[in-house]
Amino acid sequence: MFITAGIVAVIVVLVLYIAVLAIRILREYERAVVFTLGRYTGTKGPGLVLLVPFVQQMVRVDLRIVVDEVPSQDVISRDNVSVKVSAVIYYRVVDAEKAVIQVATYMQATSQLAQTTLRSVLGKHDLDEMLAGRDKLNADIQDALDKQTDAWGIKVSNVEIKRIDLDDSMIRAIARQAEAERSRRAKIINAEGEQQAAQKLVEAAQMLAPVPQAMQLRYLATLFEIAGERSSTIVFPFPIDLMQGWASQMAAARDAK
């Protein structure tokens, strides 16, 4: 009687042990790559997965997006400027079979590939392109990564450059360059203003030249403007032709008398 009960207990324990080995439950974002006697026999999940104990094994694969931070890399740009660049990549597994069979550790492999690709792509661009064209650089790095990870069943969805660090000497050089550029623009604007003012003065002179009285009125208006500025002494050029005009008028007045 006791022997029979012991055998039943052993059988129950053995069945429970086999059930634990045979039953697997996968979440919605997980897949199971199943191997039967070492050979790939399919991908299962999500939900309940039954395995043959000691004959089949499975490898869990997470299909969610993985965020991997690429550590700061020393990059020499095409114009021989040394910078430190860090980035973030977003990728996920789209083919669980390839991710397990084609590469030993797909996360580590993708991270290392991202570092080398970052240096390779940025080394083909000038510093100005790195600073001003990040969107294009992000797209170029993503495209290069995606082409190489496709054989591993990995899809790189996005790449973002986080920081581009320059040394102090380069920062000062860029500041001097920006200051020189602003000075150049100021000089150009000033020259354009002088050109427009000269053009307007020529047009005004052409309008005033046929009427000498208009020029006299303009001189008087200018004197009135200067007098309103609380100046103690006014030095104003007096045209000779204006004096000649007044002298002729005074002579005509005397003759008339």
Side-chain angles (χ1 to χ4, degrees):
M1 186 72 178
F2 292 103
I3 297 176
T4 304
I7 295 174
V8 172
V10 171
I11 293 174
V12 171
V13 172
L14 183 61
V15 170
L16 292 176
Y17 178 69
I18 293 175
V20 169
L21 294 178
I23 297 175
R24 296 287 189 275
I25 297 177
L26 300 180
R27 298 180 178 88
E28 182 65 30
Y29 54 83
E30 293 179 327
R31 296 295 183 271
V33 179
V34 180
F35 296 90
T36 302
L37 296 177
R39 297 182 63 86
Y40 170 76
T41 55
T43 302
K44 299 181 180 181
L48 181 64
V49 176
L50 297 177
L51 302 176
V52 179
F54 308 108
V55 176
Q56 291 182 322
Q57 296 85 30
M58 77 170 195
V59 179
R60 291 177 183 262
V61 179
D62 194 328
L63 301 185
R64 292 177 295 181
I65 293 178
V66 178
V67 181
D68 186 19
E69 182 175 357
V70 181
S72 181
Q73 302 293 309
D74 292 326
V75 179
I76 299 178
S77 64
R78 190 171 60 180
D79 52 350
N80 295 324
V81 178
S82 178
V83 296
K84 290 183 178 293
V85 183
S86 59
V88 177
I89 62 172
Y90 301 83
Y91 64 92
R92 65 185 181 90
V93 178
V94 294
D95 192 331
E97 174 191 352
K98 292 181 179 180
V100 173
I101 297 176
Q102 298 298 329
V103 61
T105 307
Y106 68 87
M107 297 182 67
Q108 182 180 1
T110 304
S111 178
Q112 294 296 323
L113 181 62
Q115 297 178 30
T116 58
T117 304
L118 182 67
R119 292 194 298 268
S120 175
V121 173
L122 294 183
K124 300 177 182 178
H125 295 80
D126 296 335
L127 178 61
D128 292 340
E129 295 176 354
M130 294 184 191
L131 299 177
R134 290 197 181 188
D135 292 339
K136 182 179 182 303
L137 293 178
N138 292 336
D140 292 343
I141 297 172
Q142 176 189 349
D143 184 64
L145 278 174
D146 200 34
K147 289 180 180 179
Q148 298 182 71
T149 58
D150 183 65
W152 303 342
I154 306 297
K155 172 63 178 177
V156 179
S157 59
N158 195 14
V159 175
E160 292 291 339
I161 296 177
K162 291 179 60 177
R163 295 183 59 183
I164 298 178
D165 296 328
L166 304 172
D167 56 15
D168 295 338
S169 61
M170 184 55 61
I171 293 176
R172 289 193 296 269
I174 293 176
R176 289 195 299 269
Q177 179 183 1
E179 184 178 357
E181 178 66 20
R182 289 193 297 269
S183 178
R184 182 184 69 86
R185 293 179 182 178
K187 291 179 180 179
I188 292 176
I189 294 173
N190 188 27
E192 291 177 351
E194 293 290 341
Q195 180 182 8
Q196 295 175 4
Q199 183 178 358
K200 294 300 181 181
L201 287 175
V202 170
E203 294 176 0
Q206 292 175 352
M207 295 176 62
L208 294 174
V211 185
Q213 294 81 4
M215 182 65 72
Q216 297 174 10
L217 292 175
R218 182 58 187 160
Y219 270 98
L220 294 175
T222 304
L223 284 173
F224 179 77
E225 293 176 0
I226 296 175
E229 295 180 357
R230 298 180 181 179
S231 299
S232 58
T233 303
I234 299 175
V235 179
F236 193 83
F238 196 81
I240 300 301
D241 54 351
L242 185 58
M243 294 181 62
Q244 292 177 351
W246 283 353
S248 60
Q249 290 179 4
M250 294 176 62
R254 286 196 301 271
D255 295 339
K257 291 180 181 180

